[in-house]
Amino acid sequence: MKVGILGCGSIARKRHAVEFKNNPNTEIKGFYSQTGSRAADMVRDFGGKIYQSEQEMFDDPEIDAVSVCTANAYHADLTIRALKAGKHVLCEKPMATTIADCEAMLEASKVTGKRLMIAQNQRLTPVHTKAKQILDSGELGRIIGFSCIYGHKGPETWSASKSNDTWFFKKSAAAFGSMGDLGIHKIDILRYLIGGESVQVYADLKTLDKKFPDGTPIEVDDNSVQVLSFDNGAFGTLTTSWTYYGEDTNATVFYCEKGIMKIYVNPDYPLDVVYIDGSKAHFEMNAMQSNDDNVQLNSGVIDTFVDGILKNKPAILDVQEVIGSMRVVFACLESNAAGKTIQVSQ
């Protein structure tokens, strides 16, 4: 499969390009970036050519698939154009900046017959895969409650610009703050592990600390708290933050009828189970995924994308599996604006 990569920021460099290069069934044909020097750097490090525009990449008959790694505001337009040009598409999360755009992306995939997957990488971690097996087995019974926290020092420490002028802080480019950037991961993994849909949300988003270089507050939230209710009765909280200045936190705890499951809580064992009788099970697996260079792991996203297309088989990253998570994100934004509990559209 021959692929092109749109956008040459950190996610393209540290995940997409590396994993496409390492996949034996793919060849990187080239890159496009509005910042030409970044495209040149990517070609130097990963091969291929520099495309002079998105359209030039879409018009290239050799390109089979495109990775969309741009700022959030451009996801929908580029994805739909690529699908209509006959390319399969892997789009970074969050999927798009409006639910109407998300629905349009889904429809474009259906109409063109081309695959669209969303890079919800946490569905693929070995820890979450094992957690899913345990929860689905019924050994812990029904999930009653949950608590999720996802936070780090902020995207300015990881993004290509390495500055507080990053597009992540600008509403026109990002649309979302920590809630959309980090919360989408937790919302998606909750839907996946719980095996149900969030039907009701209450959200409170705040800008507590992050500032632009001129000292004015950023245009999106840097902290958020959500209360989520699921259709199968599970009820709990989700916290996101870009102001955890000591170390990353990516913890999920499920409180079940027959015990408690702890994910990324214990640094020695990424997955712990405490049964109702007090006995414990510890699972030694991969460490928590992090933006730090020294713990970049193969996310499995590119392998899943390529395998799903070449073998024409369903994948847990397919757009129809993921779009429900975006419905919850937009319900949270609506709840914050209205200051009240919101029902999630299905």
Side-chain angles (χ1 to χ4, degrees):
M1 234 171 71
K2 296 180 180 179
V3 300
I5 297 177
L6 292 171
C8 296
S10 291
I11 199 69
R13 169 171 287 279
K14 296 184 179 183
R15 292 210 186 275
H16 291 246
V18 171
E19 294 180 27
F20 274 125
K21 186 173 183 178
N22 290 339
N23 187 295
N25 296 310
T26 60
E27 175 189 348
I28 297 175
K29 289 293 293 182
F31 300 86
Y32 171 72
S33 173
Q34 292 181 343
T35 306
S37 60
R38 290 184 189 169
D41 290 343
M42 296 290 269
V43 168
R44 178 197 66 211
D45 294 339
F46 300 102
K49 61 176 278 189
I50 299 173
Y51 288 89
Q52 300 304 311
S53 68
E54 304 104 332
Q55 195 59 48
E56 183 187 357
M57 184 181 290
F58 299 153
D59 290 341
D60 187 341
E62 291 194 359
I63 294 274
D64 300 303
V66 170
S67 262
V68 176
C69 303
T70 62
N72 303 338
Y74 307 110
H75 286 185
D77 175 65
L78 294 174
T79 294
I80 292 169
R81 287 167 59 195
L83 290 167
K84 290 181 177 179
K87 316 301 183 187
H88 302 290
V89 178
L90 173 62
C91 180
E92 258 304 323
K93 61 81 198 168
M95 185 175 169
T97 60
T98 69
I99 192 60
D101 279 347
C102 292
E103 299 286 0
M105 292 163 73
L106 172 61
E107 183 63 19
S109 178
K110 290 179 180 178
V111 169
T112 61
K114 294 298 177 180
R115 295 290 285 279
L116 169 59
M117 297 190 201
I118 311 300
Q120 296 290 165
N121 61 291
Q122 297 214 5
R123 287 183 175 227
L124 303 172
T125 68
V127 175
H128 287 142
T129 299
K130 183 63 178 178
K132 178 70 170 170
Q133 292 172 355
I134 294 171
L135 292 169
D136 285 354
S137 75
E139 68 179 78
L140 290 175
R142 178 174 62 90
I143 297 172
I144 300 169
F146 58 85
S147 174
C148 292
I149 303 175
Y150 196 4
H152 56 52
K153 292 183 280 295
E156 76 277 20
T157 66
W158 189 70
S159 64
S161 69
K162 296 292 191 300
S163 85
N164 282 35
D165 198 36
T166 175
W167 66 263
F168 281 95
F169 290 168
K170 300 171 184 177
K171 194 170 183 63
S172 61
F176 317 103
S178 71
M179 195 275 136
D181 179 47
L182 301 179
I184 182 59
H185 278 304
K186 284 302 188 184
I187 288 168
D188 190 65
I189 206 62
L190 283 171
R191 290 180 58 245
Y192 177 61
L193 294 180
I194 291 173
E197 294 294 342
S198 178
V199 293
Q200 183 176 282
V201 302
Y202 178 80
D204 193 1
L205 282 61
K206 303 289 188 184
T207 306
L208 300 177
D209 188 63
K210 295 295 186 185
K211 296 178 176 61
F212 286 117
D214 66 2
T216 59
I218 65 171
E219 298 168 353
V220 294
D221 64 278
D222 59 17
N223 280 267
S224 78
V225 177
Q226 284 69 226
V227 179
L228 308 176
S229 300
F230 278 74
D231 56 5
N232 54 9
F235 177 74
T237 59
L238 161 63
T239 299
T240 72
S241 180
W242 282 343
T243 62
Y244 288 4
Y245 295 125
E247 60 184 4
D248 292 5
T249 301
N250 183 3
T252 302
V253 181
F254 290 109
Y255 303 94
C256 307
E257 292 175 305
K258 301 177 184 178
I260 298 172
M261 174 181 284
K262 301 178 182 180
I263 303 171
Y264 296 131
V265 174
N266 184 341
D268 296 322
Y269 301 101
L271 180 60
D272 278 325
V273 177
V274 183
Y275 295 97
I276 195 169
D277 63 1
S279 61
K280 299 179 180 181
H282 305 292
F283 298 87
E284 293 188 42
M285 308 179 81
N286 288 342
M288 179 183 74
Q289 289 188 341
S290 169
N291 291 334
D292 293 336
D293 291 339
N294 62 336
V295 288
Q296 285 293 319
L297 305 171
N298 186 323
S299 70
V301 168
I302 271 64
D303 294 344
T304 299
F305 178 62
V306 173
D307 198 48
I309 292 168
L310 294 182
K311 296 182 180 178
N312 193 28
K313 66 179 186 180
I316 60 174
L317 302 182
D318 280 324
V319 60
Q320 59 267 29
E321 299 291 325
V322 174
I323 192 170
S325 302
M326 291 304 300
R327 294 190 181 105
V328 180
V329 167
F330 291 114
C332 289
L333 296 178
E334 184 181 352
S335 171
N336 176 70
K340 63 181 183 180
T341 299
I342 295 293
Q343 301 298 313
V344 181
S345 62
Q346 300 299 329

